[in-house]
C-alpha cells in the first residue's frame, strides 16, 4: 500500500476535483451503490447542503421522497448500461433542497471509469426558468384557436395542444413520439414524408400545399379537410416544425354548396336565356303579321270606318308595336356576350357616340334637345354592345325630361386602370330608394301612358357593363336630374 504501487487505482476525487469545480453546473459523482463520492461548490449552493454532509450519502437524498424508489431502479439501469445521456427524457425531474423545498432540474449523466470501478457523474442544472418558459409556451399553444402540432427534425410529434386531441380524436400521450404521418390519410403518407424532408431543408413560415386540398385523418380513420401553416421552431435539438392545423370542413361545405348554387344558377340562366331567345324569335313572325295585316286592314277600310273601329285598329297596332319593342329588347338582352360579332377590341367611344347621335337624330330634333359630350376614351369592349349602352342611356335622358327641352351631357375620365364614364340629364330624376331596382328587368317607375317603354333598357345596360367587367350605378335628385355612371376597362 505504498505510494509506489504501480497499479494503484486513482481516486476520482483526485482526478476530477479540479475539473468539476470549474464546471458551470452542479456536478455529483456517485459510485455504483449510489453513494455520493464527490460534489462541487455549485452542488452545495443548489441544494443547500454542506459538502461534508453529502459525501457518503445516497444520491436519493437529493431526490424528493416520492421518486426515490424509482430513482434507484434507474440508477441500477444506468450502471448496467453506462453511457452519456440526458436523464429522464420527456419526464419532469425534481431536486430536493435541504430545507425540504423542491425545484425542477435537468440532469445529464456520464459514466466515469477509474480502473475497475465505475462512477456516474450527474451534471445538474436548475431548470426553474426553462420550465417556466416551457410552460408559458405550452399555455400559449393551448390558447391557440388552431390545432398545434410540434414535430422534431425526424418528423416525430413532440407536443400537441387540446385542439389537436379534439380534431383528431387522439389522447395527446398517444401522439407524442409518433410520426406526424399518423395524422394524415394513409395514401398521402409517403408523399408527406418526402415533403417534410424538403421543408426541413428550407424551413420558412408558409402555407402548406398551397392550392392543394389537404386532408387530416382522425383516429377512427375518417378524413376531414384542413388548412395548415408551417413555421420553423429553433430548439437545442435542431429546427423543429410547428404546424397550425385548421379544420375547414364547414368552410369547404359552404364553398361546395356555393359552387353548386352558382352552377345551378348558371344553368338556369342559360336555359332562361335560350328560352327567351327562342320565344322572342318565334314570336316575331306572327307579330309582324299582326302589325302588317292590321295596317293593311286600316288602309283597306280607308276613311269609311266609324270612330270606334278606327280606335280599335289603333289599339291593335299600338299593342303590336309595343310587343315588337319588348321582343326586340329581350332578344338584345339574351344576345349580350353571345354573338359571334361580339369580340372585344379597342373601341373608340367618340365614334360610338357619333353613330348613336346619328341614329337618335330625329328624336333629338323633335324634342329640341341638346346633347353635349367631352372627348371620350378608347376602351376595351364590344362595339355593338357599347353602342346599345350609350343609346339606351341617352334615350332615357331624352325621354324622362321635365317641361323644358332635354339637355344631355356625356363625359368621362380615367381612374386607375379603368375609365369612368357618365351620362347626365336634367330631367325628372329618380327617388334614391329606387336607384338599384331600376336596373332590374321590367322594373319601371311609370306607366306606359306617362312614359312609353318596356323596362328592359337599364337591365340591358347593366348586363352589357357586367359583360365588360365594369360597374353601373346612378346618382340622382328627383326634380333635378340623373347621372348614370359606369366603368369600362382601358383598351389593351
Ligand atoms: P324604360 O325606359 O323602358 O322604362 P329602363 O330599364 O330603361 O326602362 O328604365 C327603367 C326605369 O328607370 C324607367 O321606367 C324610369 O322610371 C327610370 N329611369 C331610367 N332612366 C331614367 C332617367 N334618365 N331619368 C329618370 N328616370 C329614369
Amino acid at each position: 500500500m505504498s505510494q509506489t504501487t504501480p497499479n494503484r487505482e486513482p481516486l476520482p476525487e483526485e482526478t476530477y476535483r479540479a475539473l468539476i469545480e470549474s464546471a458551470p453546473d452542479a456536478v455529483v459523482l456517485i459510485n455504483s451503490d449510489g453513494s455520493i463520492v464527490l460534489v462541487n461548490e455549485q452542488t452545495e449552493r443548489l441544494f443547500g447542503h454542506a459538502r461534508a454532509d453529502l459525501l457518503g450519502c445516497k444520491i436519493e437524498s437529493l431526490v424528493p421522497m416520492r421518486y426515490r424508489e424509482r430513482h434507484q431502479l434507474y440508477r441500477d439501469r444506468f450502471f448496467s448500461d453506462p453511457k452519456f445521456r440526458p436523464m429522464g427524457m420527456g419526464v419532469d425531474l425534481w431536486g430536493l433542497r435541504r430545507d425540504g423545498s423542491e425545484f425542477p432540474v435537468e440532469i445529464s449523466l456520464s459514466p466515469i471509469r477509474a480502473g475497475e470501478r465505475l462512477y456516474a457523474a450527474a451534471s445538474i442544472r436548475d431548470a426553474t426558468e426553462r420550465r417556466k418558459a416551457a410552460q408559458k409556451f405550452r399555455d400559449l399553444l393551448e390558447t391557440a384557436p388552431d390545432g398545434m402540432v410540434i414535430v422534431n427534425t425526424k418528423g416525430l410529434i413532440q407536443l400537441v395542444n387540446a385542439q389537436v386531441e379534439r380534431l383528431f380524436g387522439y389522447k395527446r400521450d398517444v401522439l407524442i413520439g409518433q410520426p406526424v404521418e399518423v395524422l394524415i390519410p394513409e395514401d398521402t403518407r409517403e408523399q408527406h414524408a418526402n415533403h417534410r424532408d424538403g421543408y426541413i431543408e428550407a424551413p420558412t413560415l408558409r402555407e402548406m400545399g398551397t392550392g392543394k386540398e389537404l386532408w387530416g385523418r382522425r383516429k377512427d380513420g375518417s378524413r376531414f379537410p384542413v388548412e395548415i401553416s408551417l413555421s420553423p421552431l429553433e430548439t437545442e435539438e435542431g429546427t423543429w416544425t410547428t404546424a397550425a392545423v385548421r379544420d375547414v370542413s364547414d368552410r369547404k361545405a359552404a364553398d361546395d354548396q356555393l359552387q353548386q348554387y352558382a352552377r345551378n344558377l348558371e344553368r338556369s340562366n342559360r336555359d332562361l336565356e335560350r328560352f327567351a331567345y327562342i320565344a322572342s324569335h318565334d314570336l316575331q313572325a306572327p307579330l309582324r303579321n299582326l302589325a302588317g295585316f292590321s295596317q293593311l286592314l286600316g288602309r283597306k277600310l280607308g276613311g269609311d270606318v266609324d270612330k270606334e273601329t278606327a280606335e280599335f285598329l289603333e289599339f291593335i297596332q299600338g299593342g303590336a308595336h309595343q310587343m315588337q319593342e319588348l321582343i326586340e329588347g329581350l332578344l338584345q338582352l339574351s344576345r349580350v356576350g353571345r354573338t359571334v360579332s361580339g369580340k372585344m377590341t379597342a373601341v373608340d367611344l367618340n365614334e360610338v357616340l357619333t353613330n348613336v347621335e346619328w341614329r337618335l337624330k330625329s328624336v333629338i330634333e323633335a324634342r329640341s334637345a341638346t346633347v353635349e359630350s367631352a372627348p371620350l376614351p378608347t376602351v376595351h369592349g364590344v362595339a355593338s354592345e357599347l353602342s346599345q349602352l350609350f343609346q339606351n342611356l341617352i334615350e332615357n335622358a331624352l325621354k324622362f325630361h321635365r317641361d323644358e327641352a332635354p339637355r344631355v351631357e356625356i363625359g368621362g375620365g380615367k381612374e386607375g386602370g379603368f375609365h369612368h364614364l357618365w351620362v347626365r340629364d336634367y330631367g325628372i330624376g329618380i327617388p334614391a330608394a329606387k336607384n338599384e331596382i331600376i336596373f332590374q328587368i321590367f322594373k319601371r317607375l311609370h306607366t306606359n301612358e306617362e312614359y312609353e317603354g318596356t323596362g328592359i333598357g337599364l337591365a340591358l345596360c347593366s348586363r352589357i357593363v357586367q359583360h365588360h367587367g365594369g360597374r353601373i350605378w346612378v346618382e340622382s335628385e328627383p326634380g333635378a336630374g340623373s347621372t348614370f355612371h359606369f366603368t369600362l376597362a382601358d383598351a389593351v
Side-chain angles (χ1 to χ4, degrees):
M1 294 294 284
S2 79
Q3 286 190 335
T4 53
T5 314
N7 60 351
R8 176 187 168 248
E9 182 184 286
L11 281 177
E13 289 97 312
E14 290 169 13
T15 320
Y16 295 109
R17 180 164 291 131
L19 200 65
I20 69 170
E21 223 39 77
S22 64
D25 297 326
V27 178
V28 178
L29 200 71
I30 61 167
N31 62 22
S32 54
D33 302 335
S35 299
I36 298 174
V37 178
L38 204 64
V39 297
N40 63 0
E41 199 193 320
Q42 285 80 300
T43 311
E44 293 183 283
R45 229 180 298 130
L46 194 60
F47 289 90
H49 284 287
R51 198 180 297 231
D53 296 342
L54 287 173
L55 296 177
C57 286
K58 291 277 186 213
I59 180 72
E60 278 75 24
S61 60
L62 300 179
V63 175
M65 195 67 91
R66 61 185 183 288
Y67 298 123
R68 285 186 186 170
E69 208 172 312
R70 208 181 318 156
H71 191 270
Q72 281 177 26
L73 284 177
Y74 288 143
R75 170 153 62 75
D76 290 345
R77 213 176 288 162
F78 176 81
F79 279 100
S80 61
D81 176 22
K83 57 177 182 241
F84 173 80
R85 63 175 128 114
M87 185 170 154
M89 274 289 275
V91 185
D92 284 349
L93 301 176
W94 297 88
L96 180 68
R97 292 197 193 91
R98 181 164 180 251
D99 63 8
S101 60
E102 295 180 15
F103 63 106
V105 288
E106 274 167 5
I107 302 175
S108 53
L109 301 171
S110 356
I112 288 175
R113 284 179 202 284
E116 292 291 297
R117 278 197 260 163
L118 182 65
Y119 297 90
S123 172
I124 306 163
R125 182 176 295 177
D126 184 344
T128 309
E129 288 312 312
R130 256 176 73 108
R131 220 167 283 170
K132 255 193 224 158
Q135 189 55 43
K136 240 185 231 162
F137 180 69
R138 269 195 290 264
D139 290 349
L140 201 70
L141 220 59
E142 281 310 308
T143 56
D146 296 329
M148 304 293 284
V149 183
I150 295 181
V151 172
N152 71 6
T153 44
K154 294 196 184 99
L156 302 179
I157 299 174
Q158 301 300 302
L159 205 63
V160 298
N161 65 359
Q163 279 75 287
V164 169
E165 294 186 300
R166 200 173 39 75
L167 277 178
F168 291 89
Y170 284 102
K171 285 265 155 266
R172 63 180 91 186
D173 302 351
V174 181
L175 287 176
I176 305 299
Q178 293 286 321
V180 66
E181 279 76 24
V182 295
L183 299 178
I184 66 172
E186 288 89 338
D187 51 348
T188 48
R189 283 183 185 168
E190 201 181 317
Q191 204 184 356
H192 183 269
N194 293 339
H195 282 182
R196 180 157 55 69
D197 291 344
Y199 181 80
I200 286 167
E201 274 163 32
T204 50
L205 171 65
R206 65 170 165 88
E207 286 294 305
M208 182 168 154
T210 340
K212 266 193 247 150
E213 281 197 340
L214 302 177
W215 298 89
R217 180 190 185 278
R218 296 194 190 90
K219 189 179 170 204
D220 63 11
S222 59
R223 30 171 93 196
F224 60 105
V226 289
E227 233 172 45
I228 299 178
S229 55
L230 301 173
S231 53
L233 180 71
E234 296 304 333
T235 74
E236 283 174 2
E237 290 167 50
T239 308
W240 291 4
T241 306
T242 307
V245 185
R246 182 169 298 177
D247 180 350
V248 291
S249 306
D250 290 349
R251 213 192 57 203
K252 192 163 182 307
D255 275 0
D256 288 351
Q257 201 175 25
L258 212 65
Q259 271 180 18
Q260 187 60 36
Y261 280 148
R263 270 197 298 273
N264 287 348
L265 206 67
E266 213 173 292
R267 188 171 334 114
S268 72
N269 248 347
R270 254 200 323 270
D271 290 351
L272 261 177
E273 271 171 22
R274 201 173 317 127
F275 170 76
Y277 183 78
I278 292 170
S280 357
H281 192 266
D282 290 358
L283 280 175
Q284 270 182 326
L287 202 58
R288 230 177 276 129
N289 282 346
L290 193 67
F293 283 111
S294 63
Q295 222 169 14
L296 280 180
L297 191 65
R299 230 178 275 156
K300 184 151 189 207
L301 293 173
D304 295 346
V305 288
D306 57 278
K307 201 168 152 238
E308 212 177 22
T309 312
E311 213 174 77
F312 288 170
L313 268 175
E314 216 173 279
F315 282 155
I316 295 174
Q317 278 166 10
H321 173 71
Q322 214 207 330
M323 193 104 146
Q324 269 174 328
E325 300 244 295
L326 206 66
I327 285 171
E328 183 50 35
L330 280 175
L331 276 172
Q332 281 178 357
L333 198 67
S334 63
R335 270 191 212 121
V336 175
R338 298 199 321 154
T339 51
V340 190
S341 60
K343 282 240 173 62
M344 292 259 180
T345 53
V347 180
D348 180 354
L349 291 182
N350 298 298
E351 270 176 38
V352 168
L353 195 61
T354 311
N355 288 337
V356 170
E357 281 181 40
W358 188 80
R359 256 185 313 214
L360 295 177
K361 195 164 181 279
S362 57
V363 191
I364 293 172
E365 281 173 5
R367 303 216 166 130
S368 315
T370 50
V371 179
E372 288 168 8
S373 67
L376 299 179
T378 296
V379 298
H380 184 61
V382 181
S384 60
E385 292 183 3
L386 294 175
S387 175
Q388 263 171 1
L389 172 66
F390 274 100
Q391 180 163 337
N392 284 340
L393 293 178
I394 296 170
E395 265 179 334
N396 279 350
L398 294 171
K399 181 162 64 171
F400 297 104
H401 68 97
R402 287 177 289 155
D403 290 339
E404 68 250 41
R407 193 148 57 89
V408 189
E409 291 164 7
I410 298 141
K414 196 155 179 204
E415 274 175 25
F418 56 86
H419 292 285
H420 173 187
L421 294 125
W422 42 262
V423 175
R424 175 173 302 142
D425 65 54
Y426 296 88
I428 60 172
I430 298 159
K434 307 286 183 192
N435 278 357
E436 287 182 17
I437 209 170
I438 52 168
F439 291 97
Q440 289 176 15
I441 189 162
F442 301 136
K443 290 287 184 212
R444 311 194 62 223
L445 307 181
H446 308 278
T447 62
N448 237 4
E449 280 68 44
E450 292 171 301
Y451 296 95
E452 259 193 24
T454 57
I456 297 178
L458 286 181
L460 185 62
C461 292
S462 169
R463 184 172 285 202
I464 290 171
V465 173
Q466 246 176 45
H467 178 224
H468 284 74
R471 201 166 76 79
I472 183 165
W473 70 101
V474 67
E475 279 170 3
S476 183
E477 200 183 314
S482 313
T483 307
F484 283 82
H485 301 265
F486 55 96
T487 57
L488 293 172
D490 201 0
V492 281

